[in-house]
Amino acid sequence: GRVYELIVRHFLACCSDDAYGDETIVTIRIVNEFFKSKGLIVRQRNFLDIWRYDNWGSEELPPYQLNVEFIPTSFTLRKGQTEPPAPLSEADLISKMHEAGIGTDATIAQHIETIQKREYASKTDGLFRPTTLGLALVHAYKNMKIPLYQPHLRAQMEKQLVLIATGKKQKDVVIEEVIAQQKDWFEKVCQSREEMKKAIAEL
């Protein structure tokens, strides 16, 4: 059901008008300190009303003119600390996959199901969170400088599949290239078993 909905929404969104909005970027100088703020006002949502997997934020700023002087109504100093990014909803995850060029309308649902089956991530209350296994693998691959965790890797493979489908590249050539690349990384992992164990143990 969800795969069918995704395909239908994607088709209808492609047939819809572009969304329109006004972006305002304001740079303010107070003595020798500079402050910047950015706001986006969505004027016409159009395809966004159908393709709900994209978020186009809207924060209104008052109108400003270049080199205008004004007196701030108040100054506030807030204390805070950095926080990890919020977990992704399924709509957010699909949007990120589209941005990275991962999957098609027919395969996105399968990709999401696979990462859960392999226990790289889990879905609770509609939000995806990385598992200890998922975090450990990313941590280990980063230490070993192996890009298996990078989204562009899958995106490159998707592009190769498109070239096969359009007849611009032979399937056997693509398979040979992918196997050679994966074999090289597999051998590096085998040679760095202790580093892998250490990275996983740290979590």
Side-chain angles (χ1 to χ4, degrees):
R2 285 186 299 175
V3 175
Y4 178 76
E5 179 185 355
L6 178 68
I7 294 171
V8 172
R9 285 184 179 277
H10 187 274
F11 173 76
L12 293 176
C14 289
C15 298
S16 302
D17 292 331
D18 293 340
Y20 293 95
D22 298 328
E23 183 179 59
T24 302
I25 300 175
V26 178
T27 302
I28 299 170
R29 187 182 72 180
I30 300 177
V31 190
N32 293 321
E33 296 291 338
F34 288 86
F35 303 88
K36 182 177 286 187
S37 182
K38 181 168 67 174
L40 174 68
I41 303 172
V42 179
R43 299 297 186 186
Q44 298 178 35
R45 291 185 57 81
N46 296 331
F47 85 93
L48 290 173
D49 287 330
I50 300 170
W51 188 250
R52 61 187 184 187
Y53 309 111
D54 276 341
N55 295 321
W56 206 19
S58 180
E59 182 179 348
E60 189 169 355
L61 290 177
Y64 289 99
Q65 293 182 352
L66 186 63
N67 297 324
V68 124
E69 293 186 1
F70 68 96
I71 300 175
T73 55
S74 64
F75 288 96
T76 304
L77 182 62
R78 297 179 181 177
K79 291 184 179 180
Q81 61 185 21
T82 57
E83 297 180 354
L88 296 176
S89 66
E90 187 160 343
D92 293 332
L93 179 57
I94 291 173
S95 179
K96 293 288 185 184
M97 292 173 72
H98 272 291
E99 290 174 10
I102 298 175
T104 64
D105 293 341
T107 62
I108 280 181
Q110 183 181 353
H111 288 324
I112 293 175
E113 183 180 354
T114 298
I115 63 172
Q116 294 178 83
K117 278 186 177 180
R118 295 179 180 175
E119 298 183 357
Y120 299 153
S122 61
K123 184 179 180 182
T124 308
D125 298 328
L127 298 175
F128 287 90
R129 293 176 173 82
T131 62
T132 302
L133 174 60
L135 291 171
L137 287 174
V138 171
H139 186 53
Y141 289 142
K142 277 186 177 180
N143 288 348
M144 291 186 287
K145 294 181 173 57
I146 297 175
L148 286 172
Y149 64 96
Q150 293 284 0
H152 74 266
L153 186 64
R154 180 69 201 188
Q156 288 174 356
M157 193 177 297
E158 299 275 355
K159 289 178 182 178
Q160 295 295 320
L161 295 177
V162 172
L163 292 177
I164 294 173
T166 55
K168 296 179 180 179
K169 204 164 185 178
Q170 294 296 318
K171 180 182 73 173
D172 293 341
V173 174
V174 173
I175 291 175
E176 185 177 343
E177 290 175 352
V178 171
I179 289 177
Q181 186 181 57
Q182 297 290 336
K183 182 180 178 181
D184 180 52
W185 289 330
F186 178 75
E187 290 174 351
K188 286 182 179 179
V189 171
C190 291
Q191 294 168 4
S192 308
R193 290 177 184 174
E194 294 304 318
E195 191 170 349
M196 171 76 82
K197 291 179 182 178
K198 181 181 177 182
I200 293 175
E202 289 177 358
L203 293 173

